[in-house]
Amino acid sequence: MKRLIPLILITFLAFSCSNDDDSYYHDYHLEYIGAVDANVPSEFVFGRTYRIEVTIELPNSCYFYYNQYDYFYEGTSRLIYPIAHVDDGVSCTEDIREVTFPIPVQALQQETYTFKFYQGQDSSGQDTFFTIDVPVVN
């Protein structure tokens, strides 16, 4: 009997984990989405931590934001690329909405921070940004 119980349990788990229900699974991709605004302090005090508020615009109901972004260091600059989850193969409605999310930043350099917020690509495929400089004080 002791050997039968694990066998029944394994069989039950194998069949209960079936992914035949397609209503929960769908294709999607991730894509960079342009920032439309950012709320940044006028200055940083060295050593303190701040929250930058970034606003993005989701163009339709197939776009979702799950607090994902790429944050790249480039010298004293910080490049910020918000990432949207986009559902594929489903019908979308025109539901333009703005989402604001925080990015924590600790002022650990003495030089001015240059924040470059991704806005999209130009006609030649080059990334475009809007830029905000934040000086650091002691």
Side-chain angles (χ1 to χ4, degrees):
M1 183 69 175
K2 288 184 182 182
R3 290 185 182 180
L4 186 59
I5 291 175
L7 182 60
I8 292 171
L9 183 60
I10 290 171
T11 304
F12 174 75
L13 289 175
F15 285 105
S16 67
C17 293
S18 173
N19 61 358
D20 291 340
D21 186 1
D22 288 334
S23 65
Y24 294 108
Y25 300 97
H26 59 274
D27 292 329
Y28 69 92
H29 69 277
L30 301 177
E31 81 180 46
Y32 289 137
I33 187 107
V36 295
D37 193 19
N39 185 3
V40 180
S42 59
E43 65 183 22
F44 287 155
V45 174
F46 182 78
R48 290 199 182 156
T49 301
Y50 297 87
R51 286 173 51 117
I52 293 175
E53 299 287 330
V54 180
T55 301
I56 59 174
E57 189 174 84
L58 302 173
N60 62 47
S61 65
C62 288
Y63 282 73
F64 300 93
Y65 184 72
Y66 294 116
N67 201 30
Q68 293 177 288
Y69 55 88
D70 282 338
Y71 186 92
F72 299 108
Y73 294 81
E74 190 176 85
T76 59
S77 296
R78 303 298 182 263
L79 284 69
I80 299 167
Y81 288 81
I83 300 172
H85 168 118
V86 185
D87 287 338
D88 296 326
V90 297
S91 60
C92 307
T93 61
E94 283 195 40
D95 181 22
I96 299 172
R97 60 204 185 282
E98 288 188 349
V99 175
T100 301
F101 64 93
I103 296 177
V105 176
Q106 187 174 14
L108 296 178
Q109 68 187 35
Q110 295 288 341
E111 299 86 6
T112 296
Y113 279 79
T114 300
F115 291 99
K116 296 180 179 182
F117 298 93
Y118 177 77
Q119 285 192 295
Q121 292 185 335
D122 63 18
S123 59
S124 61
Q126 297 296 313
D127 292 348
T128 60
F129 302 89
F130 72 86
T131 303
I132 300 175
D133 292 325
V134 181
V136 179
V137 297
N138 289 327

